[in-house]
Amino acid sequence: QVQLVESGGGLVQAGGSLRLSCAASGRTFSIYRMGWFRQAPGKEREFVAAFRWSYGITYYADSVKGRFTISRDNAKNTEYLQMNSLKPEDTAVYYCAASPKIGGISGPGDYEYWGQGTQVTVSS
C-alpha cells in the first residue's frame, strides 16, 4: 500500500503562484508513476500533470502547459506541483495519485492510490 498526503493549497489572486506537495509513504519503492488531477464543483476529475519516475518523463495537460511544473524529491518521497500564473479557472480540489503499474497517464482509472485532496482557489 501507498499513502499520499497533499498540502500547499490555499487562496491566491489571479497571476499568483502556489506549490503543492504530495508526500508518499508505505511501499514507495513500488511507485512507477505519480500524477496530479483536479476537480472543480460540478465537473469531472481532470488530468493536470504526471511524472514517470523510472524514466524521469513529465506530462502536462494543455491547459497548464508552460504554467505548471511537476518535480520530485527522491530523498523525501515527495512530488511537487509548482503552479504559476494562476487563473480563476484553475480553482479546484487538487489530488495527488500514484500507481505501481505500467500503464496510462491521464485517466483517473490509471491510478490505484489517491490523496485526500487540497483546495486551490484563485480569485479574479
Side-chain angles (χ1 to χ4, degrees), residues 58-76:
T58 57
Y59 305 83
Y60 297 95
D62 288 342
S63 59
V64 306
K65 202 170 292 183
R67 299 189 297 123
F68 291 11
T69 303
I70 191 171
S71 63
R72 174 190 175 194
D73 184 328
N74 292 344
K76 297 181 178 180

Side-chain angles (χ1 to χ4, degrees), residues 1-3 24-32 53 77 98-100 113:
Q1 290 289 328
V2 173
Q3 294 77 43
S25 60
R27 297 173 63 87
T28 57
F29 62 87
S30 68
I31 294 175
Y32 177 74
W53 284 13
N77 286 320
S99 175
Y113 305 111

Side-chain angles (χ1 to χ4, degrees), residues 39-114:
Q39 189 166 18
K43 295 188 176 181
E44 294 187 352
R45 192 167 297 190
E46 65 172 0
F47 171 74
V48 175
F51 200 139
R52 287 194 194 271
W53 284 13
S54 298
Y55 298 98
I57 300 174
T58 57
Y59 305 83
Y60 297 95
D62 288 342
S63 59
V64 306
K65 202 170 292 183
R67 299 189 297 123
F68 291 11
T69 303
I70 191 171
S71 63
R72 174 190 175 194
D73 184 328
N74 292 344
K76 297 181 178 180
N77 286 320
T78 299
E79 190 165 82
Y80 302 97
L81 184 68
Q82 177 67 44
M83 306 186 294
N84 298 329
S85 301
L86 283 162
K87 304 175 182 179
E89 51 263 44
D90 294 318
T91 295
V93 177
Y94 283 70
Y95 297 90
C96 174
S99 175
K101 302 177 182 177
I102 297 173
I105 283 292
S106 60
D110 295 326
Y111 297 84
E112 287 74 26
Y113 305 111
W114 291 85

